[in-house]
Amino acid sequence: MRPDHLPDPLARLDEFRPHDGPVLDLPTVTLVMCESRHDEAVMDRMRRISRWHRRFMRPAHEVWFTSIEPRLDHVEWRRIEPWVRFPLDYSTWCLTRLWREVQTEHILIAQWDGFALDPTAWSDDFLRYDWIGGPTWSGRTMVADGRRIRADMVGNGGFCLRSRRLAMATEALVDERHPDAPWEDAYVCLAIRRELEARGMRWPSEQLAWRFAQNYHEGISVRGRFGFHGSTNLDQVKRLLERHWL
């Protein structure tokens, strides 16, 4: 999906008052943003998100995998070619290549339509788990390994925190199975979750996942969440941020 005609929660970022609270120090986390499209409108949104994050969050590294240079001093850039079969190519990359690009224990993935909102909602408990993302909506299904699975799960990958060891383990399982998994979050959290748990991977409770992020649930507030994901949330995120920071 393109951001054209969708609300931009950070359009007035330069008018926001300064952040006056503590900065969230995350020395074991690499913040990752990916966008393979050659689209300056998307990149502009991502640059504002990065500047927003810098107000209150200090990960060990911030790495972008994009086809256009970020032109931000604090960002490490890795050029990628456009993914022709999106989302399959993106999911395959996350499942098999992501861990090779990151050296920290944890990986926080953000997108142009999903990012951190409220540093006061952060909990160090998030780091105790190998995957945490906002719970998905009911009724979504996916096909994995020839099975159709209902995707009520913890949790979404669009804005998520995962361990590097989980990212390493998914490569091994994908190599064994060669799945057609267009949505890597559902593949990890449903299709191979039991096998990952058998290898020691841990998932949080739904309650903690709700504190971490809100994902695509219309009518449910993003207030009190560490972050969010989903274009359907952009309007309420814009209203929340502008009401609080202007």
Side-chain angles (χ1 to χ4, degrees):
M1 182 182 297
R2 289 173 55 89
D4 304 15
H5 311 301
L6 291 173
D8 182 352
L10 299 173
R12 300 178 67 183
L13 176 63
D14 290 337
E15 302 174 48
F16 284 8
R17 59 180 175 80
H19 174 68
D20 55 4
V23 173
L24 186 59
D25 188 31
L26 300 174
T28 68
V29 176
T30 295
L31 173 60
V32 167
M33 298 190 74
C34 300
E35 179 55 62
S36 76
R37 291 172 294 184
H38 205 77
D39 190 323
E40 278 290 354
V42 175
M43 290 294 292
D44 283 343
R45 288 201 181 213
M46 291 171 60
R47 292 182 186 109
R48 283 190 287 275
I49 291 167
S50 181
R51 290 169 49 214
W52 163 250
H53 283 160
R54 292 285 290 181
R55 287 171 166 245
F56 58 82
M57 185 166 61
R58 290 292 186 274
H61 305 278
E62 181 173 343
V63 186
W64 285 26
F65 299 88
T66 59
S67 60
I68 299 175
E69 185 175 0
R71 300 192 301 275
L72 294 170
D73 291 341
H74 60 275
V75 169
E76 302 170 32
W77 180 42
R78 315 277 170 82
R79 184 196 295 273
I80 60 173
E81 296 302 317
W83 286 308
V84 176
R85 301 177 303 160
F86 183 86
L88 180 59
D89 289 345
Y90 168 75
S91 291
T92 301
W93 181 86
C94 286
L95 291 168
T96 63
R97 298 293 305 175
L98 177 58
W99 73 270
R100 301 174 185 273
E101 305 287 351
V102 173
Q103 300 305 314
T104 53
E105 294 178 47
H106 303 94
I107 306 163
L108 178 64
I109 290 185
Q111 313 277 359
W112 69 265
D113 62 347
F115 50 89
L117 292 176
D118 182 359
T120 67
W122 172 265
S123 170
D124 286 341
D125 285 345
F126 297 157
L127 299 173
R128 298 174 55 209
Y129 299 96
D130 292 282
W131 182 292
I132 183 167
T136 67
W137 65 95
S138 297
R140 177 181 172 189
T141 62
M142 67 164 290
V143 174
D145 297 334
R147 295 177 295 147
R148 181 166 293 278
I149 304 171
R150 182 169 174 168
D152 298 332
M153 66 180 190
V154 175
N156 171 257
F159 177 72
C160 75
L161 182 71
R162 70 188 77 188
S163 69
R164 185 171 182 266
R165 71 169 188 157
L166 179 141
M168 294 175 68
T170 60
E171 181 185 29
L173 289 172
V174 167
D175 284 346
E176 293 171 8
R177 293 178 171 219
H178 304 289
D180 182 13
W183 300 107
E184 52 108 15
D185 50 3
Y187 189 75
V188 169
C189 296
L190 292 172
I192 61 173
R193 174 169 168 171
R194 289 182 184 175
E195 288 153 281
L196 290 168
E197 288 177 325
R199 299 183 183 207
M201 308 302 162
R202 303 179 67 225
W203 268 256
S205 66
E206 185 173 314
Q207 181 179 9
L208 190 64
W210 273 117
R211 177 171 173 176
F212 179 80
Q214 201 270 66
N215 172 57
Y216 270 113
H217 289 269
E218 294 187 51
I220 299 178
S221 175
V222 297
R223 186 184 297 275
R225 326 284 183 192
F226 176 60
F228 81 100
H229 176 252
S231 58
T232 56
N233 285 320
L234 292 174
D235 184 60
Q236 68 156 319
V237 171
K238 180 179 175 65
R239 286 185 276 108
L240 176 70
L241 292 180
E242 291 183 354
R243 184 164 58 246
H244 186 76
W245 291 101
L246 287 177

